[in-house]
Amino acid sequence: MTVEDSRNGAAAVARTERNWAVIAVTIIIVMTLLAVVAGLHRATMPQSEVQAVDPARLHLSGEFIEANLGSERGVDGAVTVRVIGQQYSFTPACILVPTDTPITLRATSADVVHGLLVQGTNINTMLVPGYISEQPMRFTKAGDYLMPCQEFCGFGHEGMWGTVRVIDKAAFAERAKGGGRLSCVGE
Ligand SMILES: [Cu+2]
């Protein structure tokens, strides 16, 4: 190997290192920008507004009393769903919602940390005692979606799951006519 050869080799190594450094820095910059954009859109960041609730008094008064659980259709047609997670079930265990409608899920835990995940969608939140988890939902396809607890919450964890039943918008409106809270428990 001549001196000339080793100079060329060193130059090639330096060039390759520089190229990889540029790629690595570009990836870091892109990821940082993604995190900023996603955070601004509330897509991946935790809520900035913390809503607290007393887990020991959920059943006694306020938003999460039994009569207020389930799906409520607002005057504008938007739907609010209120759910409680407890060892080892969700209340209501079958959530009824319409297609093509903005839905706000409001959920909390009565005891330990649970999770709420709707299979086949990006709906996924933790239920932390003392706090209200709020998440927007929207379904385009009618059908039953499995809703398991995705946070280990004790010996009965694997048996903790519910269902989200998405029905046609018009059928939901018909059922919501009388007011009150809707669910599909026992259907
Ligand atoms: Cu659980």
Side-chain angles (χ1 to χ4, degrees):
M1 200 162 76
T2 64
V3 174
E4 187 65 17
D5 282 342
S6 75
R7 273 210 199 104
N8 286 342
V13 168
R15 205 164 45 240
T16 308
E17 282 187 344
R18 203 167 45 241
N19 289 345
W20 280 110
V22 168
I23 291 171
V25 169
T26 306
I27 290 172
I28 292 168
I29 290 171
V30 169
M31 301 272 269
T32 307
L33 287 176
L34 277 178
V36 169
V37 171
L40 289 176
H41 284 87
R42 282 192 4 169
T44 62
M45 296 292 128
Q47 306 166 34
S48 54
E49 175 206 359
V50 175
Q51 300 180 57
V53 65
D54 182 355
R57 301 184 56 83
L58 290 179
H59 59 302
L60 297 177
S61 64
E63 183 179 351
F64 291 93
I65 56 168
E66 195 174 357
N68 202 36
L69 298 178
S71 306
E72 174 189 13
R73 188 172 186 268
V75 278
D76 56 351
V79 171
T80 304
V81 181
R82 294 184 183 85
V83 182
I84 291 179
Q86 65 266 302
Q87 289 168 320
Y88 297 99
S89 63
F90 292 103
T91 307
C94 187
I95 294 167
L96 191 71
V97 289
T99 52
D100 302 313
T101 304
I103 301 162
T104 305
L105 171 74
R106 289 176 63 76
T108 189
S109 167
D111 40 44
V112 301
V113 174
H114 298 281
L116 186 159
L117 174 148
V118 183
Q119 267 183 0
T121 73
N122 64 351
I123 300 157
N124 186 350
T125 186
M126 282 171 80
L127 309 184
V128 182
Y131 298 93
I132 298 170
S133 301
E134 189 176 294
Q135 173 152 33
M137 314 196 286
R138 195 181 183 100
F139 295 89
T140 48
K141 261 184 32 209
D144 282 9
Y145 296 74
L146 201 60
M147 185 183 77
C149 174
Q150 40 78 324
E151 196 70 50
F152 182 76
C153 55
F155 290 122
H157 167 67
E158 79 280 0
M160 181 170 173
W161 56 273
T163 305
V164 175
R165 180 162 296 161
V166 183
I167 63 170
D168 181 66
K169 200 176 175 176
F172 185 89
E174 187 61 33
R175 285 187 55 165
K177 256 186 186 163
R181 305 294 176 257
L182 297 178
S183 80
C184 42
V185 173
E187 289 177 10

PDB file of all heavy atoms in Angstrom, residues 68-106:
ATOM      1  N   ASN A  68     -75.522   8.675  35.532  1.00  0.00           N
ATOM      2  CA  ASN A  68     -74.937   9.535  34.497  1.00  0.00           C
ATOM      3  C   ASN A  68     -73.925   8.798  33.623  1.00  0.00           C
ATOM      4  O   ASN A  68     -73.352   9.372  32.710  1.00  0.00           O
ATOM      5  CB  ASN A  68     -74.268  10.744  35.163  1.00  0.00           C
ATOM      6  CG  ASN A  68     -74.121  11.917  34.205  1.00  0.00           C
ATOM      7  OD1 ASN A  68     -74.988  12.147  33.360  1.00  0.00           O
ATOM      8  ND2 ASN A  68     -73.014  12.631  34.312  1.00  0.00           N
ATOM      9  N   LEU A  69     -73.708   7.489  33.905  1.00  0.00           N
ATOM     10  CA  LEU A  69     -72.726   6.729  33.125  1.00  0.00           C
ATOM     11  C   LEU A  69     -73.343   6.286  31.800  1.00  0.00           C
ATOM     12  O   LEU A  69     -74.544   6.093  31.700  1.00  0.00           O
ATOM     13  CB  LEU A  69     -72.238   5.516  33.919  1.00  0.00           C
ATOM     14  CG  LEU A  69     -71.515   5.850  35.234  1.00  0.00           C
ATOM     15  CD1 LEU A  69     -71.115   4.570  35.954  1.00  0.00           C
ATOM     16  CD2 LEU A  69     -70.296   6.725  34.977  1.00  0.00           C
ATOM     17  N   GLY A  70     -72.513   6.112  30.801  1.00  0.00           N
ATOM     18  CA  GLY A  70     -72.997   5.721  29.478  1.00  0.00           C
ATOM     19  C   GLY A  70     -72.907   6.883  28.511  1.00  0.00           C
ATOM     20  O   GLY A  70     -72.154   7.834  28.731  1.00  0.00           O
ATOM     21  N   SER A  71     -73.683   6.799  27.425  1.00  0.00           N
ATOM     22  CA  SER A  71     -73.573   7.775  26.342  1.00  0.00           C
ATOM     23  C   SER A  71     -74.672   8.820  26.421  1.00  0.00           C
ATOM     24  O   SER A  71     -75.845   8.489  26.539  1.00  0.00           O
ATOM     25  CB  SER A  71     -73.656   7.067  24.991  1.00  0.00           C
ATOM     26  OG  SER A  71     -72.698   6.039  24.940  1.00  0.00           O
ATOM     27  N   GLU A  72     -74.254  10.077  26.330  1.00  0.00           N
ATOM     28  CA  GLU A  72     -75.202  11.195  26.365  1.00  0.00           C
ATOM     29  C   GLU A  72     -75.109  11.934  25.040  1.00  0.00           C
ATOM     30  O   GLU A  72     -74.024  12.284  24.588  1.00  0.00           O
ATOM     31  CB  GLU A  72     -74.807  12.136  27.514  1.00  0.00           C
ATOM     32  CG  GLU A  72     -75.632  13.403  27.552  1.00  0.00           C
ATOM     33  CD  GLU A  72     -75.087  14.422  28.570  1.00  0.00           C
ATOM     34  OE1 GLU A  72     -73.961  14.251  29.058  1.00  0.00           O
ATOM     35  OE2 GLU A  72     -75.823  15.373  28.853  1.00  0.00           O
ATOM     36  N   ARG A  73     -76.265  12.159  24.419  1.00  0.00           N
ATOM     37  CA  ARG A  73     -76.274  12.896  23.150  1.00  0.00           C
ATOM     38  C   ARG A  73     -76.582  14.360  23.451  1.00  0.00           C
ATOM     39  O   ARG A  73     -77.628  14.683  24.010  1.00  0.00           O
ATOM     40  CB  ARG A  73     -77.330  12.299  22.217  1.00  0.00           C
ATOM     41  CG  ARG A  73     -77.280  12.855  20.813  1.00  0.00           C
ATOM     42  CD  ARG A  73     -78.227  12.046  19.927  1.00  0.00           C
ATOM     43  NE  ARG A  73     -78.121  12.449  18.529  1.00  0.00           N
ATOM     44  CZ  ARG A  73     -78.896  13.382  17.969  1.00  0.00           C
ATOM     45  NH1 ARG A  73     -79.805  13.996  18.690  1.00  0.00           N
ATOM     46  NH2 ARG A  73     -78.753  13.685  16.694  1.00  0.00           N
ATOM     47  N   GLY A  74     -75.663  15.231  23.064  1.00  0.00           N
ATOM     48  CA  GLY A  74     -75.852  16.663  23.315  1.00  0.00           C
ATOM     49  C   GLY A  74     -76.797  17.281  22.311  1.00  0.00           C
ATOM     50  O   GLY A  74     -77.178  16.643  21.325  1.00  0.00           O
ATOM     51  N   VAL A  75     -77.179  18.538  22.538  1.00  0.00           N
ATOM     52  CA  VAL A  75     -78.106  19.219  21.631  1.00  0.00           C
ATOM     53  C   VAL A  75     -77.520  19.354  20.229  1.00  0.00           C
ATOM     54  O   VAL A  75     -78.245  19.368  19.234  1.00  0.00           O
ATOM     55  CB  VAL A  75     -78.500  20.623  22.167  1.00  0.00           C
ATOM     56  CG1 VAL A  75     -79.602  20.503  23.200  1.00  0.00           C
ATOM     57  CG2 VAL A  75     -77.302  21.359  22.729  1.00  0.00           C
ATOM     58  N   ASP A  76     -76.200  19.455  20.138  1.00  0.00           N
ATOM     59  CA  ASP A  76     -75.553  19.593  18.827  1.00  0.00           C
ATOM     60  C   ASP A  76     -75.316  18.239  18.159  1.00  0.00           C
ATOM     61  O   ASP A  76     -74.734  18.166  17.084  1.00  0.00           O
ATOM     62  CB  ASP A  76     -74.226  20.336  18.975  1.00  0.00           C
ATOM     63  CG  ASP A  76     -73.289  19.655  19.970  1.00  0.00           C
ATOM     64  OD1 ASP A  76     -73.735  18.710  20.668  1.00  0.00           O
ATOM     65  OD2 ASP A  76     -72.116  20.051  20.048  1.00  0.00           O
ATOM     66  N   GLY A  77     -75.768  17.148  18.798  1.00  0.00           N
ATOM     67  CA  GLY A  77     -75.599  15.814  18.213  1.00  0.00           C
ATOM     68  C   GLY A  77     -74.321  15.130  18.646  1.00  0.00           C
ATOM     69  O   GLY A  77     -74.156  13.931  18.458  1.00  0.00           O
ATOM     70  N   ALA A  78     -73.383  15.891  19.221  1.00  0.00           N
ATOM     71  CA  ALA A  78     -72.133  15.284  19.695  1.00  0.00           C
ATOM     72  C   ALA A  78     -72.433  14.400  20.908  1.00  0.00           C
ATOM     73  O   ALA A  78     -73.425  14.609  21.610  1.00  0.00           O
ATOM     74  CB  ALA A  78     -71.121  16.356  20.062  1.00  0.00           C
ATOM     75  N   VAL A  79     -71.588  13.411  21.108  1.00  0.00           N
ATOM     76  CA  VAL A  79     -71.855  12.432  22.162  1.00  0.00           C
ATOM     77  C   VAL A  79     -70.747  12.465  23.210  1.00  0.00           C
ATOM     78  O   VAL A  79     -69.565  12.583  22.887  1.00  0.00           O
ATOM     79  CB  VAL A  79     -71.988  11.018  21.548  1.00  0.00           C
ATOM     80  CG1 VAL A  79     -72.034   9.946  22.631  1.00  0.00           C
ATOM     81  CG2 VAL A  79     -73.235  10.945  20.667  1.00  0.00           C
ATOM     82  N   THR A  80     -71.145  12.395  24.470  1.00  0.00           N
ATOM     83  CA  THR A  80     -70.190  12.262  25.568  1.00  0.00           C
ATOM     84  C   THR A  80     -70.413  10.906  26.232  1.00  0.00           C
ATOM     85  O   THR A  80     -71.547  10.557  26.552  1.00  0.00           O
ATOM     86  CB  THR A  80     -70.386  13.381  26.613  1.00  0.00           C
ATOM     87  OG1 THR A  80     -70.271  14.641  25.951  1.00  0.00           O
ATOM     88  CG2 THR A  80     -69.342  13.300  27.708  1.00  0.00           C
ATOM     89  N   VAL A  81     -69.337  10.147  26.388  1.00  0.00           N
ATOM     90  CA  VAL A  81     -69.442   8.833  27.026  1.00  0.00           C
ATOM     91  C   VAL A  81     -68.698   8.876  28.352  1.00  0.00           C
ATOM     92  O   VAL A  81     -67.543   9.288  28.404  1.00  0.00           O
ATOM     93  CB  VAL A  81     -68.811   7.736  26.137  1.00  0.00           C
ATOM     94  CG1 VAL A  81     -68.945   6.373  26.805  1.00  0.00           C
ATOM     95  CG2 VAL A  81     -69.449   7.711  24.762  1.00  0.00           C
ATOM     96  N   ARG A  82     -69.395   8.477  29.417  1.00  0.00           N
ATOM     97  CA  ARG A  82     -68.739   8.443  30.730  1.00  0.00           C
ATOM     98  C   ARG A  82     -68.606   6.994  31.201  1.00  0.00           C
ATOM     99  O   ARG A  82     -69.583   6.242  31.176  1.00  0.00           O
ATOM    100  CB  ARG A  82     -69.524   9.273  31.739  1.00  0.00           C
ATOM    101  CG  ARG A  82     -69.489  10.757  31.378  1.00  0.00           C
ATOM    102  CD  ARG A  82     -70.179  11.625  32.390  1.00  0.00           C
ATOM    103  NE  ARG A  82     -70.154  13.020  31.941  1.00  0.00           N
ATOM    104  CZ  ARG A  82     -71.068  13.547  31.111  1.00  0.00           C
ATOM    105  NH1 ARG A  82     -72.065  12.813  30.650  1.00  0.00           N
ATOM    106  NH2 ARG A  82     -70.966  14.812  30.732  1.00  0.00           N
ATOM    107  N   VAL A  83     -67.405   6.659  31.603  1.00  0.00           N
ATOM    108  CA  VAL A  83     -67.093   5.271  31.961  1.00  0.00           C
ATOM    109  C   VAL A  83     -66.274   5.243  33.249  1.00  0.00           C
ATOM    110  O   VAL A  83     -65.436   6.111  33.473  1.00  0.00           O
ATOM    111  CB  VAL A  83     -66.251   4.604  30.841  1.00  0.00           C
ATOM    112  CG1 VAL A  83     -65.956   3.154  31.177  1.00  0.00           C
ATOM    113  CG2 VAL A  83     -66.947   4.699  29.499  1.00  0.00           C
ATOM    114  N   ILE A  84     -66.530   4.231  34.077  1.00  0.00           N
ATOM    115  CA  ILE A  84     -65.685   3.993  35.247  1.00  0.00           C
ATOM    116  C   ILE A  84     -65.016   2.623  35.078  1.00  0.00           C
ATOM    117  O   ILE A  84     -65.655   1.664  34.650  1.00  0.00           O
ATOM    118  CB  ILE A  84     -66.511   3.994  36.557  1.00  0.00           C
ATOM    119  CG1 ILE A  84     -67.019   5.405  36.860  1.00  0.00           C
ATOM    120  CG2 ILE A  84     -65.673   3.488  37.730  1.00  0.00           C
ATOM    121  CD1 ILE A  84     -67.857   5.477  38.125  1.00  0.00           C
ATOM    122  N   GLY A  85     -63.754   2.555  35.402  1.00  0.00           N
ATOM    123  CA  GLY A  85     -63.062   1.275  35.451  1.00  0.00           C
ATOM    124  C   GLY A  85     -62.844   0.914  36.900  1.00  0.00           C
ATOM    125  O   GLY A  85     -62.517   1.779  37.717  1.00  0.00           O
ATOM    126  N   GLN A  86     -63.088  -0.349  37.250  1.00  0.00           N
ATOM    127  CA  GLN A  86     -62.808  -0.815  38.606  1.00  0.00           C
ATOM    128  C   GLN A  86     -62.423  -2.280  38.524  1.00  0.00           C
ATOM    129  O   GLN A  86     -62.712  -2.935  37.539  1.00  0.00           O
ATOM    130  CB  GLN A  86     -64.011  -0.624  39.544  1.00  0.00           C
ATOM    131  CG  GLN A  86     -65.255  -1.461  39.203  1.00  0.00           C
ATOM    132  CD  GLN A  86     -66.250  -0.708  38.338  1.00  0.00           C
ATOM    133  OE1 GLN A  86     -66.729   0.333  38.715  1.00  0.00           O
ATOM    134  NE2 GLN A  86     -66.550  -1.229  37.149  1.00  0.00           N
ATOM    135  N   GLN A  87     -61.753  -2.790  39.577  1.00  0.00           N
ATOM    136  CA  GLN A  87     -61.364  -4.199  39.587  1.00  0.00           C
ATOM    137  C   GLN A  87     -62.630  -5.064  39.594  1.00  0.00           C
ATOM    138  O   GLN A  87     -63.363  -5.016  40.567  1.00  0.00           O
ATOM    139  CB  GLN A  87     -60.500  -4.502  40.812  1.00  0.00           C
ATOM    140  CG  GLN A  87     -59.112  -3.884  40.712  1.00  0.00           C
ATOM    141  CD  GLN A  87     -58.372  -3.944  42.025  1.00  0.00           C
ATOM    142  OE1 GLN A  87     -58.956  -3.727  43.090  1.00  0.00           O
ATOM    143  NE2 GLN A  87     -57.087  -4.198  41.973  1.00  0.00           N
ATOM    144  N   TYR A  88     -63.012  -5.855  38.585  1.00  0.00           N
ATOM    145  CA  TYR A  88     -62.334  -6.005  37.319  1.00  0.00           C
ATOM    146  C   TYR A  88     -63.343  -5.879  36.198  1.00  0.00           C
ATOM    147  O   TYR A  88     -63.677  -6.859  35.535  1.00  0.00           O
ATOM    148  CB  TYR A  88     -61.667  -7.401  37.245  1.00  0.00           C
ATOM    149  CG  TYR A  88     -60.600  -7.544  38.309  1.00  0.00           C
ATOM    150  CD1 TYR A  88     -60.862  -8.211  39.506  1.00  0.00           C
ATOM    151  CD2 TYR A  88     -59.326  -6.996  38.119  1.00  0.00           C
ATOM    152  CE1 TYR A  88     -59.879  -8.329  40.491  1.00  0.00           C
ATOM    153  CE2 TYR A  88     -58.344  -7.118  39.101  1.00  0.00           C
ATOM    154  CZ  TYR A  88     -58.629  -7.782  40.278  1.00  0.00           C
ATOM    155  OH  TYR A  88     -57.675  -7.874  41.248  1.00  0.00           O
ATOM    156  N   SER A  89     -63.861  -4.673  36.020  1.00  0.00           N
ATOM    157  CA  SER A  89     -64.847  -4.465  34.957  1.00  0.00           C
ATOM    158  C   SER A  89     -64.926  -2.983  34.599  1.00  0.00           C
ATOM    159  O   SER A  89     -64.397  -2.126  35.306  1.00  0.00           O
ATOM    160  CB  SER A  89     -66.228  -4.942  35.413  1.00  0.00           C
ATOM    161  OG  SER A  89     -66.663  -4.166  36.515  1.00  0.00           O
ATOM    162  N   PHE A  90     -65.606  -2.740  33.485  1.00  0.00           N
ATOM    163  CA  PHE A  90     -65.914  -1.369  33.113  1.00  0.00           C
ATOM    164  C   PHE A  90     -67.407  -1.154  33.331  1.00  0.00           C
ATOM    165  O   PHE A  90     -68.212  -2.069  33.136  1.00  0.00           O
ATOM    166  CB  PHE A  90     -65.601  -1.119  31.633  1.00  0.00           C
ATOM    167  CG  PHE A  90     -64.139  -1.148  31.305  1.00  0.00           C
ATOM    168  CD1 PHE A  90     -63.579  -2.252  30.680  1.00  0.00           C
ATOM    169  CD2 PHE A  90     -63.323  -0.064  31.613  1.00  0.00           C
ATOM    170  CE1 PHE A  90     -62.223  -2.276  30.379  1.00  0.00           C
ATOM    171  CE2 PHE A  90     -61.971  -0.087  31.316  1.00  0.00           C
ATOM    172  CZ  PHE A  90     -61.418  -1.205  30.694  1.00  0.00           C
ATOM    173  N   THR A  91     -67.802   0.046  33.713  1.00  0.00           N
ATOM    174  CA  THR A  91     -69.221   0.399  33.819  1.00  0.00           C
ATOM    175  C   THR A  91     -69.470   1.634  32.966  1.00  0.00           C
ATOM    176  O   THR A  91     -68.848   2.659  33.225  1.00  0.00           O
ATOM    177  CB  THR A  91     -69.616   0.717  35.281  1.00  0.00           C
ATOM    178  OG1 THR A  91     -69.204  -0.379  36.108  1.00  0.00           O
ATOM    179  CG2 THR A  91     -71.110   0.918  35.409  1.00  0.00           C
ATOM    180  N   PRO A  92     -70.346   1.527  31.943  1.00  0.00           N
ATOM    181  CA  PRO A  92     -71.016   0.311  31.484  1.00  0.00           C
ATOM    182  C   PRO A  92     -70.042  -0.621  30.744  1.00  0.00           C
ATOM    183  O   PRO A  92     -69.072  -0.151  30.164  1.00  0.00           O
ATOM    184  CB  PRO A  92     -72.086   0.858  30.530  1.00  0.00           C
ATOM    185  CG  PRO A  92     -71.593   2.193  30.086  1.00  0.00           C
ATOM    186  CD  PRO A  92     -70.729   2.723  31.181  1.00  0.00           C
ATOM    187  N   ALA A  93     -70.375  -1.923  30.770  1.00  0.00           N
ATOM    188  CA  ALA A  93     -69.511  -2.922  30.133  1.00  0.00           C
ATOM    189  C   ALA A  93     -69.697  -2.932  28.626  1.00  0.00           C
ATOM    190  O   ALA A  93     -68.863  -3.453  27.895  1.00  0.00           O
ATOM    191  CB  ALA A  93     -69.805  -4.301  30.707  1.00  0.00           C
ATOM    192  N   CYS A  94     -70.817  -2.374  28.163  1.00  0.00           N
ATOM    193  CA  CYS A  94     -71.039  -2.275  26.718  1.00  0.00           C
ATOM    194  C   CYS A  94     -71.403  -0.821  26.395  1.00  0.00           C
ATOM    195  O   CYS A  94     -72.421  -0.310  26.853  1.00  0.00           O
ATOM    196  CB  CYS A  94     -72.145  -3.230  26.273  1.00  0.00           C
ATOM    197  SG  CYS A  94     -72.333  -3.298  24.477  1.00  0.00           S
ATOM    198  N   ILE A  95     -70.522  -0.178  25.662  1.00  0.00           N
ATOM    199  CA  ILE A  95     -70.686   1.251  25.363  1.00  0.00           C
ATOM    200  C   ILE A  95     -71.314   1.405  23.980  1.00  0.00           C
ATOM    201  O   ILE A  95     -70.829   0.835  23.004  1.00  0.00           O
ATOM    202  CB  ILE A  95     -69.312   1.947  25.419  1.00  0.00           C
ATOM    203  CG1 ILE A  95     -68.790   1.917  26.853  1.00  0.00           C
ATOM    204  CG2 ILE A  95     -69.395   3.369  24.905  1.00  0.00           C
ATOM    205  CD1 ILE A  95     -67.332   2.293  26.960  1.00  0.00           C
ATOM    206  N   LEU A  96     -72.397   2.159  23.922  1.00  0.00           N
ATOM    207  CA  LEU A  96     -73.118   2.338  22.665  1.00  0.00           C
ATOM    208  C   LEU A  96     -72.817   3.723  22.086  1.00  0.00           C
ATOM    209  O   LEU A  96     -73.019   4.734  22.767  1.00  0.00           O
ATOM    210  CB  LEU A  96     -74.626   2.195  22.921  1.00  0.00           C
ATOM    211  CG  LEU A  96     -75.516   2.105  21.684  1.00  0.00           C
ATOM    212  CD1 LEU A  96     -75.331   0.762  20.990  1.00  0.00           C
ATOM    213  CD2 LEU A  96     -76.977   2.319  22.049  1.00  0.00           C
ATOM    214  N   VAL A  97     -72.322   3.757  20.854  1.00  0.00           N
ATOM    215  CA  VAL A  97     -72.012   5.050  20.215  1.00  0.00           C
ATOM    216  C   VAL A  97     -72.424   5.028  18.739  1.00  0.00           C
ATOM    217  O   VAL A  97     -72.554   3.970  18.143  1.00  0.00           O
ATOM    218  CB  VAL A  97     -70.501   5.394  20.321  1.00  0.00           C
ATOM    219  CG1 VAL A  97     -70.117   5.740  21.735  1.00  0.00           C
ATOM    220  CG2 VAL A  97     -69.642   4.275  19.769  1.00  0.00           C
ATOM    221  N   PRO A  98     -72.628   6.216  18.147  1.00  0.00           N
ATOM    222  CA  PRO A  98     -73.009   6.290  16.738  1.00  0.00           C
ATOM    223  C   PRO A  98     -71.802   6.390  15.801  1.00  0.00           C
ATOM    224  O   PRO A  98     -70.713   6.768  16.233  1.00  0.00           O
ATOM    225  CB  PRO A  98     -73.826   7.585  16.685  1.00  0.00           C
ATOM    226  CG  PRO A  98     -73.244   8.433  17.769  1.00  0.00           C
ATOM    227  CD  PRO A  98     -72.694   7.520  18.822  1.00  0.00           C
ATOM    228  N   THR A  99     -72.026   6.089  14.541  1.00  0.00           N
ATOM    229  CA  THR A  99     -70.987   6.281  13.514  1.00  0.00           C
ATOM    230  C   THR A  99     -70.881   7.771  13.186  1.00  0.00           C
ATOM    231  O   THR A  99     -71.806   8.545  13.435  1.00  0.00           O
ATOM    232  CB  THR A  99     -71.351   5.535  12.213  1.00  0.00           C
ATOM    233  OG1 THR A  99     -72.675   5.914  11.829  1.00  0.00           O
ATOM    234  CG2 THR A  99     -71.280   4.040  12.371  1.00  0.00           C
ATOM    235  N   ASP A 100     -69.767   8.153  12.609  1.00  0.00           N
ATOM    236  CA  ASP A 100     -69.540   9.496  12.042  1.00  0.00           C
ATOM    237  C   ASP A 100     -69.975  10.640  12.939  1.00  0.00           C
ATOM    238  O   ASP A 100     -70.642  11.579  12.487  1.00  0.00           O
ATOM    239  CB  ASP A 100     -70.239   9.613  10.679  1.00  0.00           C
ATOM    240  CG  ASP A 100     -69.734   8.551   9.710  1.00  0.00           C
ATOM    241  OD1 ASP A 100     -68.507   8.388   9.630  1.00  0.00           O
ATOM    242  OD2 ASP A 100     -70.564   7.881   9.078  1.00  0.00           O
ATOM    243  N   THR A 101     -69.652  10.553  14.198  1.00  0.00           N
ATOM    244  CA  THR A 101     -70.050  11.572  15.165  1.00  0.00           C
ATOM    245  C   THR A 101     -68.865  11.866  16.081  1.00  0.00           C
ATOM    246  O   THR A 101     -68.185  10.935  16.504  1.00  0.00           O
ATOM    247  CB  THR A 101     -71.225  11.047  16.033  1.00  0.00           C
ATOM    248  OG1 THR A 101     -72.284  10.657  15.168  1.00  0.00           O
ATOM    249  CG2 THR A 101     -71.715  12.088  17.013  1.00  0.00           C
ATOM    250  N   PRO A 102     -68.609  13.136  16.367  1.00  0.00           N
ATOM    251  CA  PRO A 102     -67.562  13.409  17.354  1.00  0.00           C
ATOM    252  C   PRO A 102     -67.989  12.938  18.739  1.00  0.00           C
ATOM    253  O   PRO A 102     -69.078  13.277  19.213  1.00  0.00           O
ATOM    254  CB  PRO A 102     -67.399  14.938  17.301  1.00  0.00           C
ATOM    255  CG  PRO A 102     -68.622  15.456  16.631  1.00  0.00           C
ATOM    256  CD  PRO A 102     -69.192  14.358  15.788  1.00  0.00           C
ATOM    257  N   ILE A 103     -67.164  12.127  19.350  1.00  0.00           N
ATOM    258  CA  ILE A 103     -67.480  11.548  20.654  1.00  0.00           C
ATOM    259  C   ILE A 103     -66.375  11.941  21.630  1.00  0.00           C
ATOM    260  O   ILE A 103     -65.198  11.913  21.277  1.00  0.00           O
ATOM    261  CB  ILE A 103     -67.552  10.002  20.561  1.00  0.00           C
ATOM    262  CG1 ILE A 103     -68.610   9.575  19.542  1.00  0.00           C
ATOM    263  CG2 ILE A 103     -67.838   9.374  21.923  1.00  0.00           C
ATOM    264  CD1 ILE A 103     -68.461   8.141  19.077  1.00  0.00           C
ATOM    265  N   THR A 104     -66.766  12.305  22.831  1.00  0.00           N
ATOM    266  CA  THR A 104     -65.779  12.589  23.871  1.00  0.00           C
ATOM    267  C   THR A 104     -65.895  11.522  24.944  1.00  0.00           C
ATOM    268  O   THR A 104     -66.955  11.352  25.541  1.00  0.00           O
ATOM    269  CB  THR A 104     -66.021  13.977  24.506  1.00  0.00           C
ATOM    270  OG1 THR A 104     -66.028  14.951  23.464  1.00  0.00           O
ATOM    271  CG2 THR A 104     -64.926  14.319  25.502  1.00  0.00           C
ATOM    272  N   LEU A 105     -64.817  10.799  25.141  1.00  0.00           N
ATOM    273  CA  LEU A 105     -64.784   9.804  26.203  1.00  0.00           C
ATOM    274  C   LEU A 105     -64.273  10.474  27.473  1.00  0.00           C
ATOM    275  O   LEU A 105     -63.249  11.146  27.444  1.00  0.00           O
ATOM    276  CB  LEU A 105     -63.853   8.653  25.813  1.00  0.00           C
ATOM    277  CG  LEU A 105     -63.559   7.629  26.916  1.00  0.00           C
ATOM    278  CD1 LEU A 105     -64.772   6.736  27.143  1.00  0.00           C
ATOM    279  CD2 LEU A 105     -62.350   6.780  26.558  1.00  0.00           C
ATOM    280  N   ARG A 106     -65.030  10.318  28.554  1.00  0.00           N
ATOM    281  CA  ARG A 106     -64.566  10.797  29.856  1.00  0.00           C
ATOM    282  C   ARG A 106     -64.592   9.612  30.812  1.00  0.00           C
ATOM    283  O   ARG A 106     -65.653   9.028  31.043  1.00  0.00           O
ATOM    284  CB  ARG A 106     -65.457  11.933  30.364  1.00  0.00           C
ATOM    285  CG  ARG A 106     -65.259  13.225  29.551  1.00  0.00           C
ATOM    286  CD  ARG A 106     -66.202  14.311  29.974  1.00  0.00           C
ATOM    287  NE  ARG A 106     -66.022  14.752  31.363  1.00  0.00           N
ATOM    288  CZ  ARG A 106     -65.028  15.542  31.788  1.00  0.00           C
ATOM    289  NH1 ARG A 106     -64.122  15.976  30.958  1.00  0.00           N
ATOM    290  NH2 ARG A 106     -64.948  15.898  33.052  1.00  0.00           N
TER     291      ARG A 106
END
